Amino acid sequence: QFLGSTEVEQPKGTEVVRDAVRKLKFARHIKKSEGQKTPKVELQISIYGVKILDPKTKEVQHNCQLHRISFCADDKTDKRIFTFICKDSESNKHLCYVFDSEKCVKEITLTIGQAFDLAYRKFLESGGKDVETRKQIAGLQKRIQELETENAELKNKVQDLENQLRITQVHASPAGSVTPKSPSTDIFDMVPFSPITPQSSTPTRNGTQPPPVPSRSTEIKRDLFGAEPFDPFSCGAGDFPPDIQSKLDEMQEGFKMGLTLEGTVFCLDPLDSRC
């Protein structure tokens, strides 16, 4: 049964262990009065340390490395109790682990002592190379963590510089600059005609040249009546006399009465009765 662990002030000593045992025994009595049972554990002892496992799931609850264990002893007044003191790797505090066993208290204590003896012999045989190798590995792992932290900081700085460069480029661009837009096209992919835009020889978007604009002759042609033909592109409002509507009305009335045309002279001759 595992009574638990408690912090102690010294890494070794019989009195230190006794105080820890009394403290944990008192805590066990309180838990029993509340209906809680003392948990059972399984111990794995090797030259690397002592592992405290759950007997059913085999989950490691505590891993006490052997080189961190500074004291191990059984209680002379209570043959069921044995303890060891181990320095915690995270908090660097000395913790006393207390166990209660009915039969194998001495065997467990001797086994931990034998693990220390074997570990020391292995250390002498390797000439301390094993310990040095572990120190080098620990130093390299620490250096890797430092480099990873430095790399993350550099990435953040590069990202900040890129953001500042984008902001500077946005502010440096002229405020009134407008990107010229391509002219919109119709359903035939042709640029619509605009009287303001001059005709150019640039091919349209579909790759074909626009049809050439027919050249207008400078010579004025006349019709069979000797008048200039009507041209909606060249004539203006000033080309017609102010009483053009009245003359057109007269011509229409004259045609109804049998108006004949001879050259540019209009006359009203009597109609031949044979017509």
Side-chain angles (χ1 to χ4, degrees), residues 108-176:
I108 294 173
T109 307
L110 291 174
T111 304
I112 294 176
Q114 290 174 358
F116 270 102
D117 187 35
L118 291 173
Y120 182 68
R121 288 181 183 179
K122 186 177 180 181
F123 171 75
L124 292 178
E125 291 175 359
S126 64
K129 294 180 180 179
D130 189 18
V131 177
E132 292 297 327
T133 303
R134 291 184 179 181
K135 287 183 179 179
Q136 291 178 2
I137 292 173
L140 291 174
Q141 290 176 348
K142 185 178 180 181
R143 180 57 180 165
I144 289 172
Q145 292 179 355
E146 292 176 354
L147 291 175
E148 288 178 351
T149 305
E150 185 178 355
N151 189 23
E153 293 176 355
L154 290 174
K155 285 183 178 180
N156 293 332
K157 289 181 180 180
V158 170
Q159 187 66 33
D160 293 339
L161 291 174
E162 290 179 354
N163 295 335
Q164 293 178 4
L165 182 61
R166 292 193 190 100
I167 295 173
T168 306
Q169 290 177 350
V170 170
H171 288 308
S173 61

Side-chain angles (χ1 to χ4, degrees), residues 3 21-34 36:
L3 273 66
V21 171
R22 283 195 294 267
K23 182 178 180 181
L24 291 175
K25 278 185 175 181
F26 180 74
R28 181 175 64 172
H29 287 308
I30 294 176
K31 290 179 179 179
K32 280 186 177 181
S33 64
E34 294 176 351
Q36 300 182 14

Side-chain angles (χ1 to χ4, degrees), residues 83-136:
T83 63
F84 63 84
I85 298 176
C86 180
K87 188 176 183 180
D88 186 62
S89 59
E90 296 181 358
S91 62
N92 289 329
K93 296 179 180 179
H94 294 283
L95 302 177
C96 182
Y97 294 83
V98 181
F99 302 89
D100 185 348
S101 180
E102 293 182 0
K103 300 178 181 180
C104 54
V105 172
K106 289 185 179 180
E107 287 79 359
I108 294 173
T109 307
L110 291 174
T111 304
I112 294 176
Q114 290 174 358
F116 270 102
D117 187 35
L118 291 173
Y120 182 68
R121 288 181 183 179
K122 186 177 180 181
F123 171 75
L124 292 178
E125 291 175 359
S126 64
K129 294 180 180 179
D130 189 18
V131 177
E132 292 297 327
T133 303
R134 291 184 179 181
K135 287 183 179 179
Q136 291 178 2

Side-chain angles (χ1 to χ4, degrees), residues 169-182:
Q169 290 177 350
V170 170
H171 288 308
S173 61
S177 62
V178 179
T179 306
K181 297 182 179 179
S182 59

